[in-house]
Amino acid sequence: DVKVTQSSRYLVKRTGEKVFLECVQDMDHENMFWYRQDPGLGLRLIYFSYDVKMKEKGDIPEGYSVSREKKERFSLILESASTNQTSMYLCASRKGTVFNEQFFGPGTRLTVL
Amino acid sequence: DAKTTQPTSMDCAEGRAANLPCNHSTISGNEYVYWYRQIHSQGPQYIIHGLKNNETNEMASLIITEDRKSSTLILPHATLRDTAVYYCIVPWGNEKLTFGTGTRLTIIP
């Protein structure tokens, strides 16, 4: 059974903290994605990676960075968390082009106080 | 990129067919239409995709109009577990899916 897992289901952090969200996939997919989801705004793409050590900005990269040191792992980093980064964060992976199915993790609900 | 337009919400009686429309009037000739759904507290899940012809799988059917400017996702016998947000997507380039706000489908017992 294919799987995308995320390190935490729920996370509470304080303003100014550095936050790491981890995502692991076991399908040997080249492409990995980080989205955030907010009420009324749908899913918005933050960053994606199409290979190890490669990254591309999505639609809302400000305030975030990413790391892809191994093919199976894609990390989202909030260098200095702010309250407006309180959101649901979803990781996804996909083999090859956009014409293939994209698999999502269960999400991490991050609250920044 | 081709923009899609979907109704914000819809209701459907349990056991009936749920028909979810999507407009994509700016779609180009080689762009596919994809449907995903997101059940509450889960990540989105792929349902089906198509280019020109109608498509069917174990989850749903996809009807694409001849001019390709709109499509309809059909859940033939809706159950309570089909309550979800349904996203109609026309992918941009070869890299990324852009999700809008989708249609919130509620199945009524």
Side-chain angles (χ1 to χ4, degrees):
Chain A
D1 201 17
V2 295
K3 265 213 176 117
V4 178
T5 57
Q6 296 182 228
S7 50
S8 304
R9 198 79 169 92
Y10 299 93
L11 206 54
V12 179
K13 295 291 182 181
R14 297 207 175 273
T15 302
E17 280 193 80
K18 190 168 186 176
V19 181
F20 292 87
L21 302 182
E22 304 284 342
C23 175
V24 177
Q25 50 96 3
D26 65 358
M27 297 167 280
D28 199 36
H29 287 171
E30 303 90 353
N31 300 292
M32 297 188 75
F33 307 82
W34 275 107
Y35 295 83
R36 64 176 283 177
Q37 185 169 32
D38 302 287
L41 296 177
L43 279 82
R44 292 180 291 167
L45 182 64
I46 305 171
Y47 267 98
F48 65 101
S49 168
Y50 52 88
D51 202 351
V52 176
K53 296 192 185 296
M54 306 302 287
K55 61 184 179 184
E56 293 283 341
K57 293 180 180 179
D59 301 316
I60 50 163
E62 297 79 18
Y64 303 94
S65 62
V66 290
S67 172
R68 183 114 182 255
E69 296 297 317
K70 293 185 177 182
K71 192 175 185 179
E72 67 270 20
R73 188 180 298 270
F74 191 35
S75 302
L76 180 69
I77 302 156
L78 288 67
E79 294 288 342
S80 177
S82 63
T83 55
N84 63 11
Q85 291 178 310
T86 291
S87 187
M88 170 69 84
Y89 290 88
L90 289 154
C91 175
S93 75
R94 188 188 74 222
K95 184 170 183 61
T97 73
V98 73
F99 302 116
N100 295 322
E101 181 177 348
Q102 191 157 302
F103 295 87
F104 283 81
T108 295
R109 184 165 294 282
L110 172 67
T111 301
V112 182
L113 301 175
Chain B
D1 55 329
K3 179 180 170 58
T4 62
T5 305
Q6 300 177 252
T8 304
S9 63
M10 293 180 63
D11 293 339
C12 178
E14 187 179 16
R16 304 296 293 267
N19 296 284
L20 293 95
C22 179
N23 287 322
H24 31 78
S25 58
T26 60
I27 196 169
S28 63
N30 60 352
E31 288 182 315
Y32 283 75
V33 180
Y34 282 72
W35 284 83
Y36 280 72
R37 76 177 181 184
Q38 186 174 18
I39 295 170
H40 183 61
S41 299
Q42 297 182 22
Q45 174 192 24
Y46 166 83
I47 302 173
I48 199 168
H49 71 278
L51 181 63
K52 291 182 184 177
N53 300 319
N54 299 339
E55 302 287 345
T56 296
N57 63 20
E58 64 278 5
M59 290 180 71
S61 295
L62 176 60
I63 309 297
I64 302 173
T65 58
E66 195 167 338
D67 63 7
R68 302 208 330 114
K69 292 186 177 182
S70 66
S71 60
T72 301
L73 179 76
I74 301 172
L75 309 178
H77 304 288
T79 70
L80 297 178
R81 288 175 293 180
D82 292 321
T83 291
V85 177
Y86 288 77
Y87 299 96
C88 170
I89 304 163
V90 178
W92 182 84
N94 270 338
E95 295 178 334
K96 58 182 184 179
L97 295 178
T98 299
F99 291 76
T101 53
T103 296
R104 182 172 297 278
L105 175 67
T106 302
I107 305 303
I108 310 296

